[in-house]
Amino acid sequence: MFPDTYTVDGHYHIAIGGVPIRQLAEEYGTPLYVLDYDTLIHRIQSFQESLREMNPPGQAFYAGKAFLSTAMAGLLKDQGMGLDVVSGGELYTALEAGMDPARVVFHGNVKTEDEIRMGLSRGVGYFVVDSLAELAAISRIAGELGEQAAILLRLTPGIEAHTHAFIQTGQFDSKFGFGMIDGIHEEALEQALRLPNLVLKGFHAHIGSQIFDEDPFVHNAQRLMEFMRVALERHRYWPDVLDIGGGFGVQYGPDDDPPQVPRILARVNETMRRLTPPGYPVPTVFIEPGRAIVAEAGVTIYQVRATKTVPGGRRYVAVDGGMGDNIRPALYQAAYVAQVDGKNPETPAGVYTIAGRYCESGDILVKDIALPEPEVGDYLAVYGTGAYNYAMASNYNRVPRPAVVLVDKARTVLWVKRESYEDLVRNDLPWRRPEEGRWR
Ligand code: LLP
């Protein structure tokens, strides 16, 4: 929930990475996304360590959809971690940061022809293929470019992990992947082996996001291994790679109990070793953690701009951000923990609802939270906002998106500049009357 370097002093002033949030707010403005370097590094390194302990060692591809910027891609590159991208834009960001394209996995249930071309010509490591149409398209475009495309097939194993329905992906009724129930996965396998210019490297299945149980991850590996044995018997095909996706849960609030990743990976490894037939190599495990690396490294700082108590007694605290910088409460009923800077959290003055500034009644950041009295001008910290906040931010109401700043050992470095009003109108063109003759 809190970043590793979170501290509170005797006056209840909060600091992250040794930098008081008041100082961050005054220097960079609010709302502000803050990322803690220590937390990011610890998470990345602990994934890397658990993967090294597997036999053969596994590999991690950070899911860029959780949070990506050129600086983040640069950090991943430094740390020797691969990247899972789902669009030309994410791939472009990785390449801008100088990331080795061979360490990139290209995901997504829709890839445009241009994106496939970009991936192939820039040399991405793997395409994760989601449909028969995409298989055919990659095969054809690779042929046109004189390339061979390394691919993984995305399978849907029919595992329903307990998480919000919007972020479940493993169940059969899903827009993602080839369902492992009606034979479509077998057809995909056959075509992947038959179509020219494709090199099938293995299989992928991602069962959902924010998962707390260990078992679904192990069942996923088991289902994929069973299919590998079918592939071996029917096609004499044995894969190099088994990609079990991401989805490792994190702590947003005190009741959340995240799973032990090292134990999951050890169990996955054990399952794979057990199910690999004698004489064949145990496939390499790929994982794609996003949230588990970046969520708890992130804190958003807001400033309280108004308070009101409405008939019925609900106390609203309105801040200068909201659904534009964090859509998750509105979209998934996601719950966040907040604190008022400079006030004792142990002595709450009441229960408050933190509302955003956007013109939408559903723009509520935190519902019913006990806090010391928030007053206009106070700074408010919301924790666990590193994943899927900046990444899903919008310009609704033409509010510029906040800056992202990295903190470490009492120092700060800007990762993403705050948007300006000029940025908002950058792609706008002026109104032209029909009679002006500029219409085409
Ligand atoms: N790999 C695949 C194929 C995925 O679809 C995802 C997430 C991940 C990896 C990374 O999952 P993570 O480790 O971050 O849980 N916007 C939603 C989350 C959507 C996740 C989509 N796929 C949210 O804010 O909760």
Side-chain angles (χ1 to χ4, degrees), residues 358-382:
Y358 295 83
C359 299
E360 195 91 42
S361 297
D363 178 25
I364 301 296
L365 280 173
V366 187
K367 218 175 158 189
D368 297 337
I369 180 173
L371 291 173
E373 192 183 354
E375 292 165 286
V376 171
D378 282 350
Y379 292 115
L380 200 94
V382 176

Side-chain angles (χ1 to χ4, degrees), residues 63 65 84 107 154 167 204 206 209-210 245-248 288-291 328 332 388 392:
K65 61 180 85 62
D84 144 16
H107 255 287
R154 178 163 184 169
I167 51 178
H204 159 92
H206 167 82
S209 201
Q210 184 59 353
F248 308 97
E288 302 163 348
R291 191 190 314 266
R328 299 191 70 259
Y332 316 116
Y388 304 107
M392 295 173 83

Side-chain angles (χ1 to χ4, degrees), residues 85-308:
V85 302
V86 292
S87 68
E90 287 187 355
L91 176 57
Y92 184 84
T93 307
L95 296 172
E96 279 288 290
M99 210 163 186
D100 177 4
R103 303 295 310 280
V104 173
V105 170
F106 202 153
H107 255 287
N109 68 315
V110 170
K111 300 177 190 72
T112 65
E113 298 246 332
D114 283 349
E115 287 174 323
I116 294 171
R117 226 168 242 120
M118 178 180 179
L120 282 167
S121 58
R122 302 305 290 266
V124 299
Y126 305 84
F127 285 89
V128 182
V129 181
D130 196 278
S131 65
L132 295 178
E134 190 190 332
L135 262 184
I138 296 180
S139 166
R140 171 174 51 79
I141 298 169
E144 286 164 19
L145 297 174
E147 301 275 354
Q148 295 284 302
I151 62 166
L152 306 175
L153 290 181
R154 178 163 184 169
L155 305 175
T156 312
I159 294 170
E160 301 205 7
H162 295 286
T163 186
H164 193 285
F166 288 7
I167 51 178
Q168 270 187 359
T169 53
Q171 74 283 10
F172 287 129
D173 184 357
S174 165
K175 74 167 187 171
F176 294 109
F178 298 102
M180 297 176 76
I181 190 170
D182 56 358
I184 187 79
H185 62 313
E186 286 166 16
E187 186 171 344
L189 170 62
E190 192 196 296
Q191 290 195 18
L193 293 171
R194 184 169 45 77
L195 286 172
N197 317 311
L198 300 180
V199 183
L200 181 63
K201 290 286 188 184
F203 303 108
H204 159 92
H206 167 82
I207 47 175
S209 201
Q210 184 59 353
I211 294 169
F212 290 140
D213 299 335
E214 290 176 14
D215 289 349
F217 293 99
V218 181
H219 293 159
N220 187 25
Q222 205 166 338
R223 291 278 289 147
L224 291 176
M225 287 301 289
E226 283 158 10
F227 185 53
M228 288 184 174
R229 299 203 52 152
V230 172
L232 183 62
E233 276 151 33
R234 300 221 182 120
H235 302 279
R236 308 306 308 157
Y237 169 75
W238 185 250
D240 302 333
V241 170
L242 190 153
D243 180 344
I244 59 169
F248 308 97
V250 305
Q251 191 179 37
Y252 284 109
D255 299 336
D256 293 336
D257 185 15
Q260 295 301 315
V261 173
R263 210 159 54 200
I264 292 174
L265 295 181
R267 286 182 61 194
V268 164
N269 199 205
E270 185 274 323
T271 303
M272 290 176 56
R273 297 194 70 78
R274 183 164 45 80
L275 296 178
T276 296
Y280 287 88
V282 179
T284 299
V285 167
F286 285 5
I287 57 169
E288 302 163 348
R291 191 190 314 266
I293 286 176
V294 81
E296 290 168 88
V299 177
T300 308
I301 308 172
Y302 300 98
Q303 190 167 33
V304 175
R305 299 305 332 163
T307 61
K308 56 177 84 154

